[in-house]
Amino acid sequence: MSPIPHLPGGADAHRPRRGRPRSGGREAILAASLDILRERGASRLTTREVATRAGVSEGSVFYHFTDRTGLLTAVIEDSLTSLMDVNPAAQAEVAETLEALTAGMERFLDKVLIVVIAAQSDAELRTGMADFLRSNDFGPHRGVNGIAGYLRAQQRGGLVRADIDPEAVGAMLLGSIFLRVAMGQMVDPAYSDNVPDRGRVLKGLVQLITPPDGPRSGGPSGRR
Amino acid sequence: MSPIPHLPGGADAHRPRRGRPRSGGREAILAASLDILRERGASRLTTREVATRAGVSEGSVFYHFTDRTGLLTAVIEDSLTSLMDVNPAAQAEVAETLEALTAGMERFLDKVLIVVIAAQSDAELRTGMADFLRSNDFGPHRGVNGIAGYLRAQQRGGLVRADIDPEAVGAMLLGSIFLRVAMGQMVDPAYSDNVPDRGRVLKGLVQLITPPDGPRSGGPSGRR
DNA sequence: GTCTATAGGTTGATAGAC
DNA sequence: GTCTATCAACCTATAGAC
């Protein structure tokens, strides 16, 4: 199902490797960079402050990442890769499965949006990220297709209305989550409350896509 | 309906004003800034290149906008303000109205996303934009509420299922549009094709929110 | 309001010792 | 792999003439 080649870095931040154990300088630099990105934004990230926060010298930063662009590229690809394959097991109920599926997507978006935004600050970073996404067939469509695939399966089982467009529903569901996460991150955390949260959207959606008169039954009566 | 105070700048890029007619330097600077933002990103925008592209001296840039942050703030608020109140008239059919409504929103998002992203490159710009949005009660929730308000009205008329959550639907619909616009702008224009477009989402949605057996009829039979 | 010239301060990056 | 020391380039911002 997953056409992704084996990529460096899995769900873990620090993987074991051949060779001498790392002293942690590199990781400290990456972590400090992420912090600065969040607090000050990409334009205000200087190699000098990265070094200071990471507790290393500026020379170390360049030793590990060649240049500033290399550093930011590493930060971006690192974050993107970290959660590339999350796929929670399907639950018994449609509502529960969608809940688990979208909860994971929301957490993922919340984590990667910061670096996706950082990539927008520089055309070189942006095209680099675009290439990376293309190479790995990665991006939001993965989430949309994940939702759509699940819905399609349930359509065959009769738990979901047969006449819905799974991709359209997937785009709407993921879109609503993306919208909320983006508002929280691009304006301020409380701003996302101006828009329904995942729980409410999910509830409204399940109501829409569930057959009017229960699974599989073609009868005209029965409460909804 | 619109609690927005009168703001400078309407739908037009150049409004007439009291006082001496502008020589256009200011506008040229703003336009050049937008171009650079698109092509190179906020981190690569220098006052020097802005001046060169606008065909003015660097001194002029600082004369008009005080400093770099002031320039970017002006670019952001200018773009945000330019289309603050679009409200197409309701059409006869639900599908048509939603089409007109969301088409406007898509155009708007496509225009402002670039500056919203630029604001993320610098914490000072970000909080400035956040304050601006708050002061004007502006943001994506406006779009969500616009859709929700229309749906609620149609629920009373029986053209839309009475048991749906208008806000949830609004969030999903706007979210799916936002997702597509964001993919096109943050990765590359073609990348948004990985996800259903507005037309397809709209079609799928109308199917979901339209009463199973036509407007107003409460009868138990009828095909679904 | 616009220009030229220039100052002052950062910043990314390198060299070389340990 | 990490540090210190150092630079050259660049970029924001100001001063003052027109």
Side-chain angles (χ1 to χ4, degrees):
Chain A
M1 187 60 84
S2 169
I4 304 176
H6 193 64
L7 283 156
D12 258 344
H14 29 247
R15 64 216 120 107
R17 266 231 299 204
R18 238 185 283 274
R20 90 169 57 81
R22 315 264 197 65
S23 43
R26 193 189 150 98
E27 280 69 25
I29 293 170
L30 289 173
S33 300
L34 260 180
D35 284 349
I36 297 173
L37 246 30
R38 266 187 281 264
E39 289 175 32
R40 313 212 156 172
S43 289
R44 297 286 200 213
L45 180 145
T46 66
T47 52
R48 196 150 296 180
E49 194 184 350
V50 168
T52 305
R53 287 216 199 187
V56 300
S57 73
E58 215 176 336
S60 272
V61 174
F62 287 92
Y63 169 79
H64 283 295
F65 303 99
T66 311
D67 58 16
R68 197 191 104 116
T69 301
L71 167 61
L72 289 176
T73 299
V75 171
I76 292 166
E77 302 198 349
D78 213 63
S79 295
L80 246 28
T81 306
S82 70
L83 278 170
M84 221 151 180
D85 30 29
V86 250
N87 245 37
Q91 307 290 314
E93 295 294 323
V94 172
E96 285 169 23
T97 306
L98 286 181
E99 159 64 25
L101 207 57
T102 55
M105 291 174 183
E106 185 171 37
R107 277 194 303 273
F108 179 62
L109 282 178
D110 197 53
K111 186 180 172 188
V112 298
L113 191 53
I114 182 72
V115 299
V116 173
I117 286 172
Q120 308 303 310
S121 67
D122 184 329
E124 193 177 341
L125 293 175
R126 210 207 69 217
T127 63
M129 183 187 71
D131 291 346
F132 179 80
L133 292 177
R134 249 187 305 269
S135 304
N136 297 291
D137 184 37
F138 196 49
H141 57 289
R142 282 278 203 100
V144 171
N145 293 339
I147 296 169
Y150 170 72
L151 291 178
R152 219 181 283 281
Q154 296 312 309
Q155 281 182 311
R156 287 190 290 269
L159 282 174
V160 167
R161 276 173 57 175
D163 63 338
I164 70 160
D165 179 344
E167 272 76 27
V169 172
M172 289 193 289
L173 183 51
L174 187 67
S176 69
I177 294 168
F178 179 57
L179 180 65
R180 232 183 97 91
V181 170
M183 286 174 76
Q185 208 150 116
M186 310 213 290
V187 184
D188 98 46
Y191 214 65
S192 53
D193 291 334
N194 285 321
V195 117
D197 66 14
R198 184 167 46 84
R200 180 167 168 193
V201 168
L202 225 32
K203 196 178 161 193
L205 178 66
V206 168
Q207 191 164 212
L208 284 176
I209 64 175
T210 299
D213 40 14
R216 259 311 181 217
S217 135
S221 73
R223 67 174 206 79
R224 208 209 16 67
Chain B
M1 188 61 79
S2 168
I4 305 177
H6 193 62
L7 285 158
D12 258 342
H14 27 247
R15 64 216 120 104
R17 266 233 300 203
R18 236 186 284 273
R20 88 172 57 81
R22 315 265 197 65
S23 42
R26 192 189 153 98
E27 279 69 26
I29 293 169
L30 289 173
S33 300
L34 260 180
D35 284 347
I36 297 173
L37 246 29
R38 265 186 283 263
E39 287 175 33
R40 312 211 156 174
S43 289
R44 297 286 200 213
L45 180 145
T46 66
T47 52
R48 193 154 299 177
E49 195 185 347
V50 169
T52 306
R53 288 217 200 186
V56 301
S57 72
E58 218 176 330
S60 272
V61 174
F62 287 92
Y63 169 79
H64 283 295
F65 302 100
T66 311
D67 57 17
R68 199 191 104 116
T69 301
L71 167 61
L72 289 176
T73 299
V75 171
I76 292 166
E77 302 198 350
D78 214 63
S79 295
L80 246 28
T81 305
S82 70
L83 278 170
M84 220 151 181
D85 29 31
V86 249
N87 246 38
Q91 307 290 313
E93 294 295 320
V94 172
E96 285 170 23
T97 307
L98 285 181
E99 160 64 25
L101 208 55
T102 55
M105 290 174 184
E106 185 171 38
R107 277 194 303 274
F108 179 63
L109 282 178
D110 197 54
K111 186 179 173 188
V112 298
L113 192 53
I114 182 71
V115 299
V116 173
I117 285 172
Q120 308 302 311
S121 68
D122 185 328
E124 192 178 341
L125 293 175
R126 209 207 70 216
T127 63
M129 184 187 72
D131 290 347
F132 180 80
L133 292 177
R134 248 188 304 271
S135 304
N136 297 291
D137 183 37
F138 196 49
H141 57 288
R142 282 278 202 100
V144 171
N145 294 339
I147 296 169
Y150 171 72
L151 291 178
R152 218 182 282 281
Q154 296 312 310
Q155 281 182 311
R156 286 190 289 271
L159 283 174
V160 167
R161 275 171 60 174
D163 63 338
I164 70 162
D165 179 345
E167 272 77 25
V169 172
M172 290 193 289
L173 183 51
L174 187 66
S176 69
I177 295 168
F178 179 56
L179 180 65
R180 232 182 98 91
V181 171
M183 285 174 76
Q185 208 148 115
M186 310 213 288
V187 184
D188 100 44
Y191 213 65
S192 53
D193 292 334
N194 285 321
V195 116
D197 66 13
R198 185 166 46 85
R200 180 165 168 196
V201 169
L202 226 33
K203 196 178 162 194
L205 179 66
V206 167
Q207 191 165 211
L208 284 176
I209 64 175
T210 300
D213 40 13
R216 257 311 178 214
S217 141
S221 73
R223 66 175 202 76
R224 203 194 20 81

